[in-house]
Amino acid sequence: MQINVKTINPAADKSDCYLVAVQEGGKLSPAASQIDSLSDGQLTRILKRGDIKGKLNQSLLLHDIAGIGSTRVLLLGTGKEAMSDSQFRGLIRTAVQKLLDANIKNVISALAEVEVKDRDATAIIQLGSETVTHALYRYSQTKSEKTPTPSLHHWTWQLDDKKLHKQAQTAAKTGQAIATGMALTRELGNLPGNICTPTYLANEAKKLGKSHSLKVTVLDQKQLEQLKMGSFLSVAKGSRQPPKLIVMEYHGGKKPGNPVVLVGKGITFDSGGISIKPGAAMDEMKFDMCGAATVFGTLHAIAELKLPINVVGVVPTCENLPDGNASKPGDIVTSMSGQTIEVLNTDAEGRLILCDALTYSEKFKPKAVIDIATLTGACVIALGKQASGLLGNDQALVDKLLSAGNKSDDRAWQLPLWEEYQDQLKSNFADMANIGGREAGTITAACFLSRFTKKFKWAHLDIAGTAWDSGNNKGATGRPVPLLVNYLIGEAGKG
Ligand code: BES
Ligand code: MN
Ligand code: ZN
């Protein structure tokens, strides 16, 4: 889909549909009033008859309004007060659904003038462009009937102030690149474990490298052995699929320039291993590579935007399965860092693959390392589906991520990483255990990772609750690509 920004003349400029807003109580937005006067009060008459009251998400599709270049006008209710981000997104989704139902191809949207809390027109255009593009994603790879591509082709944001056009155009491009990155994240997440294996992800990385000029290196089992990644390999050894460590380098910044390293958990299926999970909803553990998929999607977006920054993606990927050769509770493994780990629960496998990937990241002399992982069920209990868990060893980095999340309506919430929690990881037989008991499960998982991140500024995003939806709308969400792209835009000094 093409997204543009223009100052349009509603009497002359043609489209299949012009989107305008009406508040609850009947107050027309500026663009709606303009249509009203061009059509000799037609909107006022319709409002008087009571067909639409302006309640949030109400809509009314009108045809052949006199004096208007567009063949249709879609009136959208915006409610009484300024909308929240999520209400605004809901409104955009309502509009997109109406447009698709009517098979509409070209629209002009005067929705940049609606009131959204803490957002100016440019910020509305970024979030709106992301939401429109996001709403057009359909999964169909493993269905015999391919979903037809949605009809919508052109979306033009009407914006009066020409001085804002350049900035708004960039915002539209940014929103769209974020949603396109999210679509890659969602597609990889949605694919089943028997297709999306570690080898499949490695091949996808190579494809992404070719299409978006990334330098991609894939380390195989032998190389992981040479690097002494005993912790990562201990998870992989219960599976017949060989593990991979995928490294993707994006050079958009100065040539030596310390990169931001993104480390993504890539468990392509998590059965729990010998500490096997109960059966209910176990299929959802195909989503246990959504951290990895987020790294792919984020790199896709920043490469598309050509951000002047260096970013490295590091993805440890394998399956966690029970097998005669699988790790057993009580086994002790030696990580790449040299620290030994007692594996008390083979279902706490994410941290076991991440710790070696974090140690490996030291070689890039990173200015910051951010890992993204569907790490703990405890995080879903603590924060639900609204916020990703955020912990780290550098408050300035954490603050930047929090504000990037707020800016992109992809929020995170910080949990404490106090040293007192470290005691829960004590082991009688190794340097640490891989679990810390029932209490504060998200924090003790981060405590575990913190022992491998002493040499750099580090933050950890636990996306167990945010990476996918369950129930009727089961599917990967593409979060937290918006948070990360907004953070990287800030780091690139552009936003
Ligand atoms: N991938 C899971 C975490 C998870 C569970 C994410 C449910 C989303 C929904 C992770 O590998 C895991 O199994 N964690 C255990 C850790 C425990 C054994 C300390 C958990 O959260 O139960
Ligand atoms: Mn697990
Ligand atoms: Zn897992």
Side-chain angles (χ1 to χ4, degrees):
M1 194 185 43
Q2 260 206 350
I3 306 187
N4 295 308
V5 179
K6 264 173 75 179
T7 300
I8 70 118
N9 171 1
D13 284 320
K14 293 188 183 7
S15 80
D16 300 326
C17 192
Y18 191 32
L19 311 185
V20 297
V22 53
Q23 282 177 13
E24 187 164 351
K27 182 163 178 254
L28 296 169
S29 71
S33 311
Q34 206 181 0
I35 291 183
D36 194 41
S37 34
L38 285 168
S39 65
D40 269 334
Q42 189 146 2
L43 296 194
T44 307
R45 286 194 295 279
I46 288 168
L47 282 166
K48 259 205 188 124
R49 283 180 201 150
D51 289 33
I52 182 165
K53 298 202 167 51
K55 285 203 171 126
L56 186 59
N57 283 331
Q58 266 192 322
S59 66
L60 187 64
L61 187 61
L62 307 167
H63 287 258
D64 304 319
I65 299 279
I68 305 301
S70 297
T71 50
R72 302 176 190 81
V73 169
L74 182 62
L75 258 181
L76 287 158
T78 58
K80 272 199 193 111
E81 298 154 18
M83 287 175 277
S84 66
D85 283 348
S86 62
Q87 287 172 331
F88 171 67
R89 305 185 103 141
L91 182 74
I92 295 277
R93 281 195 299 271
T94 304
V96 168
Q97 197 49 56
K98 295 278 165 216
L99 298 168
L100 295 181
D101 288 348
N103 208 27
I104 284 168
K105 296 185 178 62
N106 291 293
V107 305
I108 299 171
S109 161
L111 298 180
E113 64 182 17
V114 299
E115 277 177 55
V116 182
K117 280 178 208 132
D118 301 325
R119 278 187 192 272
D120 58 17
T122 309
I124 289 178
I125 287 174
Q126 180 171 328
L127 191 66
S129 301
E130 180 197 312
T131 308
V132 173
T133 312
H134 190 272
L136 296 178
Y137 168 83
R138 299 286 180 280
Y139 178 81
S140 69
Q141 240 191 94
T142 45
K143 290 188 173 183
S144 47
E145 210 169 301
K146 300 296 166 209
T147 346
T149 21
S151 54
L152 205 52
H153 285 313
H154 290 272
W155 181 287
T156 303
W157 291 102
Q158 136 66 13
L159 189 64
D160 275 337
D161 190 346
K162 291 212 168 73
K163 287 195 299 291
L164 290 178
H165 277 200
K166 211 174 147 218
Q167 194 188 332
Q169 197 66 253
T170 306
K173 257 179 62 186
T174 303
Q176 198 171 18
I178 288 172
T180 309
M182 293 170 93
L184 174 59
T185 302
R186 295 164 87 187
E187 189 71 8
L188 294 172
N190 288 336
L191 283 171
N194 63 330
I195 292 177
C196 186
T197 60
T199 305
Y200 182 93
L201 280 182
N203 290 334
E204 284 296 302
K206 286 177 197 156
K207 271 206 248 165
L208 184 61
K210 282 223 174 83
S211 62
H212 285 77
S213 351
L214 311 176
K215 182 182 164 206
V216 174
T217 321
V218 176
L219 307 189
D220 61 15
Q221 169 134 9
K222 237 202 195 139
Q223 291 163 298
L224 304 181
E225 280 160 11
Q226 280 159 1
L227 287 165
K228 298 197 159 60
M229 293 197 177
S231 184
F232 178 15
L233 289 164
S234 78
V235 178
K237 77 196 177 100
S239 157
R240 301 187 187 190
Q241 292 292 337
K244 306 282 176 197
L245 186 83
I246 303 167
V247 182
M248 298 173 274
E249 296 173 59
Y250 170 74
H251 289 284
K254 294 198 187 81
K255 268 235 162 135
N258 302 32
V260 172
V261 176
L262 304 176
V263 178
K265 173 178 172 183
I267 295 288
T268 58
F269 189 77
D270 180 12
S271 72
I274 296 296
S275 315
I276 198 161
K277 286 180 183 294
M282 208 209 265
D283 65 290
E284 296 188 9
M285 283 299 115
K286 72 172 182 178
F287 294 119
D288 212 17
M289 36 56 71
C290 281
T294 296
V295 174
F296 280 71
T298 302
L299 285 167
H300 188 284
I302 65 165
E304 206 116 285
L305 292 170
K306 301 195 165 63
L307 286 191
I309 186 173
N310 297 329
V311 180
V312 180
V314 176
V315 169
T317 173
C318 68
E319 292 180 326
N320 185 25
L321 292 179
D323 178 82
N325 195 44
S327 278
K328 304 168 291 297
D331 283 3
I332 292 177
V333 300
T334 305
S335 64
M336 182 182 180
S337 73
Q339 299 176 92
T340 59
I341 303 160
E342 185 181 17
V343 181
L344 287 175
N345 189 321
T346 64
D347 199 11
E349 84 298 339
R351 61 198 80 181
L352 295 176
I353 72 169
L354 289 169
C355 69
D356 283 341
L358 287 165
T359 302
Y360 182 80
S361 300
E362 286 172 12
K363 75 177 242 177
F364 299 107
K365 302 192 167 45
K367 70 171 177 180
V369 177
I370 302 161
D371 78 77
I372 308 103
T374 48
L375 205 60
T376 62
C379 193
V380 193
I381 301 303
L383 300 174
K385 300 223 145 274
Q386 307 303 329
S388 301
L390 175 57
L391 305 96
N393 64 13
D394 183 80
Q395 194 55 40
L397 173 60
V398 168
D399 286 340
K400 283 186 200 170
L401 292 169
L402 286 171
S403 90
N406 292 338
K407 210 167 155 183
S408 50
D409 191 33
D410 180 13
R411 286 174 294 183
W413 193 257
Q414 187 177 13
L415 298 172
L417 196 61
W418 297 324
E419 152 269 312
E420 286 85 345
Y421 291 104
Q422 295 283 350
D423 290 348
Q424 288 176 240
L425 293 176
K426 271 196 182 138
S427 158
N428 287 352
F429 307 108
D431 298 341
M432 69 195 89
N434 78 327
I435 53 170
R438 266 168 48 81
E439 292 172 10
T442 303
I443 298 175
T444 53
C447 283
F448 180 95
L449 297 177
S450 75
R451 297 174 183 219
F452 302 85
T453 61
K454 302 263 189 243
K455 298 199 176 133
F456 42 73
K457 293 176 183 168
W458 158 76
H460 160 64
L461 282 162
D462 193 329
I463 59 167
T466 51
W468 74 90
D469 283 325
S470 311
N472 282 342
N473 291 324
K474 194 191 288 182
T477 60
R479 291 178 69 184
V481 170
L483 181 158
L484 289 168
V485 173
N486 269 291
Y487 161 74
L488 292 168
I489 288 172
E491 287 305 285
K494 281 192 130 188

